[in-house]
Amino acid sequence: MFEQSLSRSLELAKNESLKGKLPSYIPLLSQVDPQTIAIAIQHLQENKSEAAGDITNTFPLMSVIKPFLLLYLLENLGFDQVFQLVDRLPSQEAFNAIPEGKPHNPMLNSGAIALSSLLPSSETLRNWLNVRADANLELDQLMLNSVRSVANRRNLAIAARLQELGLIANPEQALAIYEEICCLRGNVQDLAQIGMLLVNTQRSPYISIILEIMTKCGMYEASEEFAQDIGLPSKSSVSGAILSIVPDLAAIASYSPTLDAIGNSVGGLFLIRQVATYLGY
């Protein structure tokens, strides 16, 4: 019954995705098939899972990596060191806004670049996630080259500003690591599996903090509306991926590359809403 509903939701979401556009400012992201769509749901109980659509298709995680950067640093460095560099405040700023002071939250580029300065290398996070979640994330070198080919790289200005503010010492290194972790590539099942690291709220005292930040800040300027409408801690990305967490129950990962004006996946938003409603989440 649920499988039939999921197939129907995928078809509806594919039609819905026609309302969005592929992002144009990263060349390779503008060249993907706009009708690609997939979803994976991983349940905490009995480790049960469902997946449908183009589930073998891989994509760069981009901003969906941000909650996991935060998780790694909190578990390995602790609360005080992490939140010296970034606040936990909601923001109506664009995701790539140049900060006037301490970044408002880790879901903004400025916050994630600041936190990337604490990471020894992108491989550190990739290996940690693959081992902890039994995932298969790989660095997408072609996508990384495409990100770095953009003429006016706003993240360069963000990193330079973070140095001016005294938050990071080496902007080139922090930005390089940030870009690399954003270009980690996997499929929806990989994303759902790493998402499970955030599902069991009893596993770590930091998970509730991360879920709160995702709820307030994870969907760019639409975060408040999304929280009121769907209510699941979520993170979207410019690649078209969305991860939603149902605390103590499940992780829902979707991929559909066309975006709305804010930068959230049109098909993904539709799918998450459909699945959350059907499952009573």
Side-chain angles (χ1 to χ4, degrees), residues 173-240:
Q173 182 181 20
L175 181 56
I177 291 174
Y178 170 73
E179 290 173 334
E180 288 171 13
I181 63 174
C182 285
C183 290
L184 295 179
R185 190 176 191 92
N187 58 35
V188 284
Q189 290 170 307
D190 291 314
L191 182 55
Q193 282 175 227
I194 65 172
M196 291 301 291
L197 297 175
L198 297 171
V199 171
N200 184 354
T201 57
Q202 304 305 307
R203 188 186 63 77
S204 164
Y206 299 119
I207 290 176
S208 60
I209 295 171
I210 297 168
L211 296 182
E212 178 188 357
I213 292 171
M214 290 172 70
T215 301
K216 292 179 178 178
C217 316
M219 304 297 287
Y220 306 124
E221 301 98 306
S223 296
E224 183 178 356
E225 180 184 350
F226 185 86
Q228 292 173 349
D229 181 22
I230 298 177
L232 299 180
S234 300
K235 184 71 195 84
S236 63
S237 93
V238 71
S239 68

Short mmCIF file of all heavy atoms in Angstrom, two decimals, residues 173-240:
data_model
loop_
_atom_site.label_atom_id
_atom_site.label_comp_id
_atom_site.label_asym_id
_atom_site.label_seq_id
_atom_site.Cartn_x
_atom_site.Cartn_y
_atom_site.Cartn_z
N GLN A 173 42.46 27.87 3.51
CA GLN A 173 42.31 26.49 3.94
C GLN A 173 40.87 26.19 4.37
O GLN A 173 40.31 25.15 4.02
CB GLN A 173 43.25 26.19 5.11
CG GLN A 173 43.19 24.74 5.60
CD GLN A 173 44.12 24.49 6.76
OE1 GLN A 173 44.54 25.41 7.45
NE2 GLN A 173 44.46 23.24 7.00
N ALA A 174 40.26 27.10 5.12
CA ALA A 174 38.89 26.89 5.57
C ALA A 174 37.95 26.77 4.38
O ALA A 174 37.07 25.88 4.35
CB ALA A 174 38.45 28.04 6.47
N LEU A 175 38.12 27.63 3.38
CA LEU A 175 37.24 27.58 2.22
C LEU A 175 37.49 26.32 1.40
O LEU A 175 36.53 25.70 0.91
CB LEU A 175 37.46 28.83 1.34
CG LEU A 175 36.58 28.92 0.09
CD1 LEU A 175 35.10 28.84 0.46
CD2 LEU A 175 36.87 30.21 -0.67
N ALA A 176 38.74 25.92 1.27
CA ALA A 176 39.05 24.70 0.51
C ALA A 176 38.37 23.48 1.14
O ALA A 176 37.76 22.66 0.43
CB ALA A 176 40.56 24.49 0.43
N ILE A 177 38.45 23.37 2.46
CA ILE A 177 37.82 22.24 3.14
C ILE A 177 36.30 22.31 3.01
O ILE A 177 35.63 21.30 2.75
CB ILE A 177 38.25 22.19 4.62
CG1 ILE A 177 39.73 21.81 4.72
CG2 ILE A 177 37.39 21.22 5.42
CD1 ILE A 177 40.29 21.89 6.12
N TYR A 178 35.74 23.51 3.16
CA TYR A 178 34.29 23.69 3.02
C TYR A 178 33.82 23.26 1.63
O TYR A 178 32.83 22.52 1.50
CB TYR A 178 33.92 25.15 3.27
CG TYR A 178 32.49 25.46 2.92
CD1 TYR A 178 31.44 25.02 3.72
CD2 TYR A 178 32.18 26.19 1.77
CE1 TYR A 178 30.13 25.29 3.39
CE2 TYR A 178 30.87 26.47 1.44
CZ TYR A 178 29.84 26.01 2.24
OH TYR A 178 28.54 26.27 1.90
N GLU A 179 34.51 23.70 0.60
CA GLU A 179 34.11 23.34 -0.77
C GLU A 179 34.21 21.83 -1.00
O GLU A 179 33.37 21.23 -1.67
CB GLU A 179 34.97 24.09 -1.78
CG GLU A 179 34.68 25.58 -1.82
CD GLU A 179 35.64 26.35 -2.69
OE1 GLU A 179 36.79 25.88 -2.88
OE2 GLU A 179 35.27 27.43 -3.17
N GLU A 180 35.22 21.22 -0.43
CA GLU A 180 35.40 19.77 -0.60
C GLU A 180 34.30 18.98 0.08
O GLU A 180 33.76 18.02 -0.49
CB GLU A 180 36.77 19.34 -0.09
CG GLU A 180 37.92 19.80 -0.99
CD GLU A 180 39.28 19.57 -0.38
OE1 GLU A 180 39.37 18.83 0.64
OE2 GLU A 180 40.27 20.13 -0.90
N ILE A 181 33.92 19.36 1.31
CA ILE A 181 32.86 18.60 1.98
C ILE A 181 31.51 18.82 1.30
O ILE A 181 30.67 17.91 1.28
CB ILE A 181 32.78 18.90 3.49
CG1 ILE A 181 32.42 20.35 3.77
CG2 ILE A 181 34.07 18.50 4.19
CD1 ILE A 181 32.19 20.65 5.26
N CYS A 182 31.31 19.99 0.69
CA CYS A 182 30.08 20.23 -0.05
C CYS A 182 30.01 19.37 -1.32
O CYS A 182 28.93 19.07 -1.81
CB CYS A 182 29.95 21.70 -0.43
SG CYS A 182 29.48 22.79 0.94
N CYS A 183 31.18 18.99 -1.84
CA CYS A 183 31.24 18.19 -3.07
C CYS A 183 31.37 16.70 -2.78
O CYS A 183 31.73 15.93 -3.69
CB CYS A 183 32.38 18.68 -3.95
SG CYS A 183 32.05 20.31 -4.68
N LEU A 184 31.10 16.28 -1.55
CA LEU A 184 30.95 14.85 -1.30
C LEU A 184 29.69 14.36 -1.99
O LEU A 184 28.65 15.01 -1.94
CB LEU A 184 30.89 14.57 0.21
CG LEU A 184 32.16 14.89 1.00
CD1 LEU A 184 31.95 14.60 2.48
CD2 LEU A 184 33.36 14.13 0.46
N ARG A 185 29.79 13.21 -2.63
CA ARG A 185 28.73 12.74 -3.51
C ARG A 185 28.18 11.40 -3.03
O ARG A 185 28.93 10.53 -2.58
CB ARG A 185 29.28 12.59 -4.93
CG ARG A 185 28.24 12.35 -6.00
CD ARG A 185 28.87 12.31 -7.39
NE ARG A 185 27.85 12.33 -8.43
CZ ARG A 185 27.39 13.43 -9.00
NH1 ARG A 185 27.90 14.60 -8.65
NH2 ARG A 185 26.45 13.39 -9.92
N GLY A 186 26.86 11.24 -3.10
CA GLY A 186 26.22 9.98 -2.75
C GLY A 186 24.85 9.92 -3.37
O GLY A 186 24.45 10.81 -4.13
N ASN A 187 24.09 8.87 -3.05
CA ASN A 187 22.71 8.77 -3.53
C ASN A 187 21.75 8.99 -2.35
O ASN A 187 22.18 9.23 -1.23
CB ASN A 187 22.47 7.44 -4.24
CG ASN A 187 22.76 6.23 -3.35
OD1 ASN A 187 22.51 6.27 -2.14
ND2 ASN A 187 23.28 5.15 -3.93
N VAL A 188 20.45 8.88 -2.62
CA VAL A 188 19.48 9.16 -1.55
C VAL A 188 19.60 8.17 -0.39
O VAL A 188 19.35 8.53 0.77
CB VAL A 188 18.02 9.18 -2.07
CG1 VAL A 188 17.72 10.46 -2.81
CG2 VAL A 188 17.69 7.95 -2.87
N GLN A 189 20.00 6.94 -0.69
CA GLN A 189 20.15 5.97 0.38
C GLN A 189 21.35 6.30 1.28
O GLN A 189 21.28 6.14 2.49
CB GLN A 189 20.25 4.56 -0.21
CG GLN A 189 18.91 4.11 -0.80
CD GLN A 189 19.03 2.84 -1.61
OE1 GLN A 189 19.85 2.73 -2.52
NE2 GLN A 189 18.20 1.87 -1.30
N ASP A 190 22.44 6.79 0.66
CA ASP A 190 23.56 7.27 1.46
C ASP A 190 23.13 8.41 2.36
O ASP A 190 23.50 8.46 3.55
CB ASP A 190 24.70 7.75 0.55
CG ASP A 190 25.39 6.62 -0.20
OD1 ASP A 190 25.71 5.60 0.42
OD2 ASP A 190 25.59 6.78 -1.42
N LEU A 191 22.36 9.34 1.79
CA LEU A 191 21.92 10.50 2.57
C LEU A 191 21.01 10.08 3.72
O LEU A 191 21.12 10.59 4.84
CB LEU A 191 21.22 11.52 1.66
CG LEU A 191 20.74 12.81 2.32
CD1 LEU A 191 21.86 13.52 3.06
CD2 LEU A 191 20.13 13.75 1.26
N ALA A 192 20.10 9.14 3.45
CA ALA A 192 19.22 8.65 4.53
C ALA A 192 20.03 7.94 5.61
O ALA A 192 19.74 8.07 6.80
CB ALA A 192 18.16 7.72 3.95
N GLN A 193 21.06 7.20 5.19
CA GLN A 193 21.87 6.46 6.17
C GLN A 193 22.67 7.40 7.07
O GLN A 193 22.71 7.20 8.29
CB GLN A 193 22.81 5.48 5.45
CG GLN A 193 22.10 4.22 4.99
CD GLN A 193 23.00 3.31 4.18
OE1 GLN A 193 22.61 2.83 3.13
NE2 GLN A 193 24.20 3.06 4.67
N ILE A 194 23.29 8.43 6.50
CA ILE A 194 23.98 9.37 7.38
C ILE A 194 22.97 10.17 8.19
O ILE A 194 23.25 10.58 9.32
CB ILE A 194 24.98 10.29 6.63
CG1 ILE A 194 24.28 11.23 5.65
CG2 ILE A 194 26.04 9.46 5.91
CD1 ILE A 194 25.22 12.27 5.04
N GLY A 195 21.78 10.37 7.63
CA GLY A 195 20.72 11.05 8.38
C GLY A 195 20.34 10.33 9.65
O GLY A 195 19.93 10.96 10.64
N MET A 196 20.51 9.00 9.65
CA MET A 196 20.18 8.23 10.85
C MET A 196 21.06 8.60 12.05
O MET A 196 20.69 8.35 13.19
CB MET A 196 20.30 6.73 10.56
CG MET A 196 19.24 6.20 9.60
SD MET A 196 17.55 6.47 10.21
CE MET A 196 17.52 5.33 11.59
N LEU A 197 22.21 9.21 11.79
CA LEU A 197 23.06 9.67 12.90
C LEU A 197 22.38 10.77 13.71
O LEU A 197 22.78 11.06 14.83
CB LEU A 197 24.40 10.19 12.36
CG LEU A 197 25.29 9.17 11.64
CD1 LEU A 197 26.52 9.86 11.06
CD2 LEU A 197 25.72 8.06 12.60
N LEU A 198 21.34 11.39 13.12
CA LEU A 198 20.63 12.48 13.78
C LEU A 198 19.24 12.07 14.28
O LEU A 198 18.52 12.90 14.82
CB LEU A 198 20.47 13.66 12.82
CG LEU A 198 21.76 14.32 12.34
CD1 LEU A 198 21.48 15.33 11.24
CD2 LEU A 198 22.49 15.00 13.50
N VAL A 199 18.88 10.81 14.12
CA VAL A 199 17.51 10.39 14.45
C VAL A 199 17.34 10.05 15.92
O VAL A 199 16.40 10.51 16.57
CB VAL A 199 17.08 9.19 13.56
CG1 VAL A 199 15.75 8.61 14.04
CG2 VAL A 199 16.95 9.64 12.10
N ASN A 200 18.24 9.25 16.47
CA ASN A 200 18.12 8.81 17.86
C ASN A 200 18.58 9.92 18.80
O ASN A 200 19.77 10.13 19.01
CB ASN A 200 18.94 7.54 18.07
CG ASN A 200 18.79 6.97 19.48
OD1 ASN A 200 18.15 7.57 20.35
ND2 ASN A 200 19.38 5.82 19.72
N THR A 201 17.64 10.63 19.37
CA THR A 201 17.97 11.81 20.19
C THR A 201 18.63 11.43 21.51
O THR A 201 19.19 12.30 22.20
CB THR A 201 16.72 12.65 20.47
OG1 THR A 201 15.73 11.84 21.12
CG2 THR A 201 16.13 13.21 19.18
N GLN A 202 18.58 10.13 21.88
CA GLN A 202 19.21 9.68 23.11
C GLN A 202 20.68 9.33 22.90
O GLN A 202 21.42 9.14 23.86
CB GLN A 202 18.48 8.46 23.67
CG GLN A 202 17.00 8.67 23.92
CD GLN A 202 16.72 9.86 24.81
OE1 GLN A 202 17.28 9.94 25.90
NE2 GLN A 202 15.87 10.76 24.37
N ARG A 203 21.11 9.25 21.64
CA ARG A 203 22.48 8.80 21.36
C ARG A 203 23.53 9.81 21.76
O ARG A 203 24.64 9.46 22.15
CB ARG A 203 22.60 8.48 19.86
CG ARG A 203 23.92 7.80 19.47
CD ARG A 203 24.03 7.64 17.99
NE ARG A 203 24.07 8.92 17.27
CZ ARG A 203 25.13 9.71 17.20
NH1 ARG A 203 26.25 9.39 17.83
NH2 ARG A 203 25.09 10.84 16.53
N SER A 204 23.21 11.08 21.63
CA SER A 204 24.17 12.14 21.92
C SER A 204 23.42 13.38 22.42
O SER A 204 22.36 13.71 21.90
CB SER A 204 24.97 12.49 20.66
OG SER A 204 25.63 13.74 20.81
N PRO A 205 23.97 14.08 23.40
CA PRO A 205 23.31 15.30 23.89
C PRO A 205 23.31 16.41 22.85
O PRO A 205 22.59 17.40 23.00
CB PRO A 205 24.15 15.68 25.11
CG PRO A 205 25.50 15.07 24.87
CD PRO A 205 25.22 13.78 24.14
N TYR A 206 24.11 16.28 21.80
CA TYR A 206 24.21 17.32 20.80
C TYR A 206 23.13 17.23 19.72
O TYR A 206 22.90 18.18 18.98
CB TYR A 206 25.59 17.30 20.14
CG TYR A 206 26.72 17.52 21.11
CD1 TYR A 206 27.69 16.55 21.31
CD2 TYR A 206 26.80 18.69 21.86
CE1 TYR A 206 28.73 16.75 22.21
CE2 TYR A 206 27.83 18.90 22.76
CZ TYR A 206 28.79 17.92 22.93
OH TYR A 206 29.81 18.12 23.83
N ILE A 207 22.49 16.07 19.60
CA ILE A 207 21.54 15.88 18.50
C ILE A 207 20.36 16.84 18.61
O ILE A 207 19.92 17.43 17.62
CB ILE A 207 21.08 14.41 18.43
CG1 ILE A 207 22.26 13.56 17.94
CG2 ILE A 207 19.89 14.26 17.49
CD1 ILE A 207 22.00 12.08 17.90
N SER A 208 19.84 17.02 19.83
CA SER A 208 18.70 17.94 19.99
C SER A 208 19.09 19.36 19.60
O SER A 208 18.26 20.11 19.05
CB SER A 208 18.18 17.90 21.42
OG SER A 208 19.19 18.29 22.34
N ILE A 209 20.34 19.75 19.86
CA ILE A 209 20.82 21.08 19.46
C ILE A 209 20.83 21.21 17.94
O ILE A 209 20.36 22.20 17.37
CB ILE A 209 22.23 21.34 20.02
CG1 ILE A 209 22.21 21.38 21.55
CG2 ILE A 209 22.82 22.63 19.45
CD1 ILE A 209 23.59 21.42 22.18
N ILE A 210 21.34 20.19 17.27
CA ILE A 210 21.42 20.22 15.80
C ILE A 210 20.03 20.23 15.19
O ILE A 210 19.76 20.98 14.25
CB ILE A 210 22.24 19.02 15.30
CG1 ILE A 210 23.68 19.12 15.81
CG2 ILE A 210 22.22 18.95 13.77
CD1 ILE A 210 24.50 17.86 15.61
N LEU A 211 19.11 19.43 15.72
CA LEU A 211 17.75 19.39 15.18
C LEU A 211 17.04 20.73 15.38
O LEU A 211 16.28 21.17 14.51
CB LEU A 211 16.95 18.26 15.84
CG LEU A 211 17.45 16.83 15.57
CD1 LEU A 211 16.52 15.82 16.23
CD2 LEU A 211 17.56 16.55 14.08
N GLU A 212 17.30 21.38 16.50
CA GLU A 212 16.71 22.70 16.74
C GLU A 212 17.23 23.71 15.70
O GLU A 212 16.46 24.50 15.15
CB GLU A 212 17.05 23.18 18.15
CG GLU A 212 16.52 24.57 18.46
CD GLU A 212 17.03 25.11 19.79
OE1 GLU A 212 17.76 24.39 20.50
OE2 GLU A 212 16.70 26.26 20.10
N ILE A 213 18.53 23.66 15.43
CA ILE A 213 19.11 24.57 14.45
C ILE A 213 18.57 24.27 13.05
O ILE A 213 18.25 25.19 12.27
CB ILE A 213 20.64 24.49 14.48
CG1 ILE A 213 21.18 25.05 15.80
CG2 ILE A 213 21.26 25.25 13.30
CD1 ILE A 213 22.66 24.81 16.03
N MET A 214 18.42 22.99 12.70
CA MET A 214 17.85 22.62 11.40
C MET A 214 16.42 23.14 11.27
O MET A 214 16.03 23.64 10.21
CB MET A 214 17.88 21.11 11.22
CG MET A 214 19.28 20.53 11.02
SD MET A 214 19.30 18.71 11.03
CE MET A 214 18.45 18.34 9.47
N THR A 215 15.65 23.03 12.34
CA THR A 215 14.27 23.51 12.31
C THR A 215 14.20 25.01 12.08
O THR A 215 13.40 25.49 11.29
CB THR A 215 13.55 23.14 13.62
OG1 THR A 215 13.58 21.73 13.80
CG2 THR A 215 12.10 23.62 13.61
N LYS A 216 15.05 25.76 12.77
CA LYS A 216 15.02 27.22 12.69
C LYS A 216 15.72 27.77 11.45
O LYS A 216 15.38 28.86 10.99
CB LYS A 216 15.69 27.82 13.93
CG LYS A 216 14.93 27.61 15.22
CD LYS A 216 15.70 28.23 16.38
CE LYS A 216 14.96 28.10 17.71
NZ LYS A 216 15.75 28.68 18.82
N CYS A 217 16.71 27.02 10.92
CA CYS A 217 17.61 27.62 9.94
C CYS A 217 17.88 26.77 8.70
O CYS A 217 18.58 27.22 7.80
CB CYS A 217 18.98 27.90 10.60
SG CYS A 217 18.91 28.64 12.24
N GLY A 218 17.36 25.55 8.63
CA GLY A 218 17.80 24.62 7.61
C GLY A 218 17.25 24.81 6.22
O GLY A 218 17.78 24.25 5.26
N MET A 219 16.19 25.61 6.08
CA MET A 219 15.55 25.78 4.77
C MET A 219 15.67 27.23 4.28
O MET A 219 14.76 27.78 3.67
CB MET A 219 14.08 25.35 4.85
CG MET A 219 13.88 23.93 5.35
SD MET A 219 14.59 22.66 4.29
CE MET A 219 13.43 22.70 2.92
N TYR A 220 16.81 27.84 4.57
CA TYR A 220 17.05 29.22 4.16
C TYR A 220 15.97 30.14 4.72
O TYR A 220 15.49 29.94 5.83
CB TYR A 220 17.18 29.32 2.64
CG TYR A 220 18.20 28.37 2.05
CD1 TYR A 220 17.86 27.46 1.06
CD2 TYR A 220 19.53 28.37 2.50
CE1 TYR A 220 18.80 26.60 0.52
CE2 TYR A 220 20.47 27.51 1.97
CZ TYR A 220 20.10 26.62 0.98
OH TYR A 220 21.04 25.77 0.47
N GLU A 221 15.54 31.12 3.91
CA GLU A 221 14.56 32.08 4.42
C GLU A 221 13.17 31.46 4.62
O GLU A 221 12.30 32.06 5.24
CB GLU A 221 14.42 33.28 3.48
CG GLU A 221 15.70 34.06 3.25
CD GLU A 221 16.40 33.67 1.97
OE1 GLU A 221 16.68 32.47 1.77
OE2 GLU A 221 16.68 34.57 1.16
N ALA A 222 12.96 30.25 4.09
CA ALA A 222 11.67 29.57 4.22
C ALA A 222 11.59 28.70 5.47
O ALA A 222 10.61 27.98 5.66
CB ALA A 222 11.40 28.72 2.98
N SER A 223 12.60 28.77 6.33
CA SER A 223 12.68 27.86 7.48
C SER A 223 11.46 27.97 8.41
O SER A 223 10.89 26.96 8.83
CB SER A 223 13.96 28.11 8.27
OG SER A 223 15.10 27.82 7.50
N GLU A 224 11.06 29.19 8.72
CA GLU A 224 9.93 29.37 9.65
C GLU A 224 8.65 28.82 9.04
O GLU A 224 7.88 28.10 9.70
CB GLU A 224 9.76 30.85 10.00
CG GLU A 224 8.66 31.09 11.02
CD GLU A 224 8.53 32.56 11.41
OE1 GLU A 224 9.35 33.38 10.93
OE2 GLU A 224 7.62 32.88 12.19
N GLU A 225 8.40 29.14 7.77
CA GLU A 225 7.20 28.65 7.10
C GLU A 225 7.21 27.12 7.01
O GLU A 225 6.19 26.47 7.25
CB GLU A 225 7.12 29.25 5.69
CG GLU A 225 5.89 28.80 4.91
CD GLU A 225 5.91 29.36 3.49
OE1 GLU A 225 6.74 30.22 3.18
OE2 GLU A 225 5.07 28.90 2.68
N PHE A 226 8.37 26.55 6.67
CA PHE A 226 8.49 25.10 6.56
C PHE A 226 8.24 24.44 7.92
O PHE A 226 7.57 23.41 8.01
CB PHE A 226 9.88 24.73 6.04
CG PHE A 226 10.07 23.26 5.79
CD1 PHE A 226 9.71 22.69 4.58
CD2 PHE A 226 10.62 22.44 6.77
CE1 PHE A 226 9.89 21.33 4.35
CE2 PHE A 226 10.81 21.09 6.55
CZ PHE A 226 10.44 20.53 5.33
N ALA A 227 8.77 25.03 8.99
CA ALA A 227 8.59 24.48 10.33
C ALA A 227 7.11 24.48 10.72
O ALA A 227 6.62 23.53 11.35
CB ALA A 227 9.41 25.27 11.34
N GLN A 228 6.40 25.54 10.36
CA GLN A 228 4.98 25.61 10.68
C GLN A 228 4.16 24.67 9.82
O GLN A 228 3.18 24.06 10.28
CB GLN A 228 4.48 27.05 10.49
CG GLN A 228 5.06 28.03 11.50
CD GLN A 228 4.69 29.47 11.20
OE1 GLN A 228 4.18 29.78 10.12
NE2 GLN A 228 4.96 30.35 12.13
N ASP A 229 4.57 24.50 8.55
CA ASP A 229 3.82 23.69 7.60
C ASP A 229 4.05 22.20 7.80
O ASP A 229 3.11 21.41 7.88
CB ASP A 229 4.23 24.10 6.18
CG ASP A 229 3.48 23.35 5.10
OD1 ASP A 229 2.39 22.83 5.40
OD2 ASP A 229 3.98 23.27 3.96
N ILE A 230 5.33 21.80 7.90
CA ILE A 230 5.68 20.37 7.96
C ILE A 230 6.23 19.99 9.33
O ILE A 230 5.95 18.91 9.85
CB ILE A 230 6.67 20.02 6.83
CG1 ILE A 230 5.99 20.27 5.47
CG2 ILE A 230 7.13 18.58 6.94
CD1 ILE A 230 6.87 20.02 4.29
N GLY A 231 7.04 20.85 9.92
CA GLY A 231 7.46 20.64 11.30
C GLY A 231 8.59 19.67 11.52
O GLY A 231 8.87 19.33 12.67
N LEU A 232 9.24 19.22 10.45
CA LEU A 232 10.36 18.30 10.62
C LEU A 232 11.68 19.05 10.50
O LEU A 232 11.85 19.84 9.57
CB LEU A 232 10.31 17.21 9.54
CG LEU A 232 9.09 16.30 9.52
CD1 LEU A 232 9.21 15.29 8.38
CD2 LEU A 232 8.90 15.59 10.85
N PRO A 233 12.64 18.82 11.40
CA PRO A 233 13.97 19.40 11.23
C PRO A 233 14.54 18.96 9.89
O PRO A 233 14.60 17.76 9.59
CB PRO A 233 14.77 18.79 12.39
CG PRO A 233 13.74 18.35 13.38
CD PRO A 233 12.54 17.96 12.59
N SER A 234 14.94 19.92 9.06
CA SER A 234 15.32 19.61 7.68
C SER A 234 16.47 20.47 7.22
O SER A 234 16.72 21.55 7.77
CB SER A 234 14.13 19.81 6.73
OG SER A 234 13.03 18.99 7.08
N LYS A 235 17.17 19.99 6.18
CA LYS A 235 18.21 20.78 5.53
C LYS A 235 18.12 20.55 4.04
O LYS A 235 18.05 19.42 3.58
CB LYS A 235 19.61 20.38 6.04
CG LYS A 235 20.71 21.26 5.45
CD LYS A 235 20.66 22.66 6.03
CE LYS A 235 21.49 23.67 5.22
NZ LYS A 235 20.77 24.23 4.07
N SER A 236 18.12 21.66 3.31
CA SER A 236 18.08 21.58 1.85
C SER A 236 19.43 21.98 1.28
O SER A 236 20.33 22.40 2.00
CB SER A 236 16.98 22.51 1.32
OG SER A 236 17.29 23.85 1.64
N SER A 237 19.55 21.84 -0.04
CA SER A 237 20.81 22.22 -0.67
C SER A 237 20.58 22.63 -2.11
O SER A 237 19.57 22.28 -2.72
CB SER A 237 21.82 21.06 -0.62
OG SER A 237 21.75 20.28 -1.78
N VAL A 238 21.55 23.38 -2.65
CA VAL A 238 21.46 23.88 -4.02
C VAL A 238 21.51 22.74 -5.04
O VAL A 238 21.10 22.93 -6.19
CB VAL A 238 22.57 24.91 -4.28
CG1 VAL A 238 23.94 24.22 -4.35
CG2 VAL A 238 22.32 25.72 -5.55
N SER A 239 21.96 21.57 -4.64
CA SER A 239 21.98 20.44 -5.57
C SER A 239 20.59 19.84 -5.76
O SER A 239 20.36 19.05 -6.69
CB SER A 239 22.93 19.35 -5.08
OG SER A 239 22.45 18.74 -3.90
N GLY A 240 19.65 20.18 -4.89
CA GLY A 240 18.29 19.62 -4.97
C GLY A 240 18.02 18.54 -3.93
O GLY A 240 16.95 17.94 -3.92
#
